[in-house]
Amino acid sequence: MSNTIAAALGTPEIIIILVVVLLLFGGKKIPELMRGLGKGMKEFKDGKDGADNDPVEPNRTNTNKPL
């Protein structure tokens, strides 16, 4: 039995799950949850790819003369 969860769920099951999620969180909270999920996935992908390294500015010499 190598069935995945996605293969085991049909259209009626997905609709029931969506209705339950809507009832639990409400219509206003769902976009906030999805936005947070998207940001989390982006941060994870950036961290995995090493994109979180800030570009280093070249060293600048101090041209001010001491008083």
Side-chain angles (χ1 to χ4, degrees), residues 41-63:
M41 289 174 60
K42 182 182 182 309
E43 289 177 7
F44 176 77
K45 188 184 291 186
D46 288 345
K48 184 182 74 170
D49 295 339
D52 60 344
N53 297 335
D54 294 330
V56 178
E57 292 185 18
N59 291 335
R60 298 182 183 193
T61 58
N62 187 359
T63 58

Side-chain angles (χ1 to χ4, degrees), residues 5-46:
I5 294 175
L9 293 177
T11 304
E13 289 87 1
I14 292 174
I15 292 173
I16 291 171
I17 291 171
L18 291 175
V19 168
V20 169
V21 168
L22 183 63
L23 289 174
L24 287 175
F25 295 109
K28 294 182 180 179
K29 193 70 173 173
I30 291 176
E32 294 175 20
L33 291 171
M34 293 298 113
R35 193 174 303 119
L37 180 64
K39 286 181 181 179
M41 289 174 60
K42 182 182 182 309
E43 289 177 7
F44 176 77
K45 188 184 291 186
D46 288 345

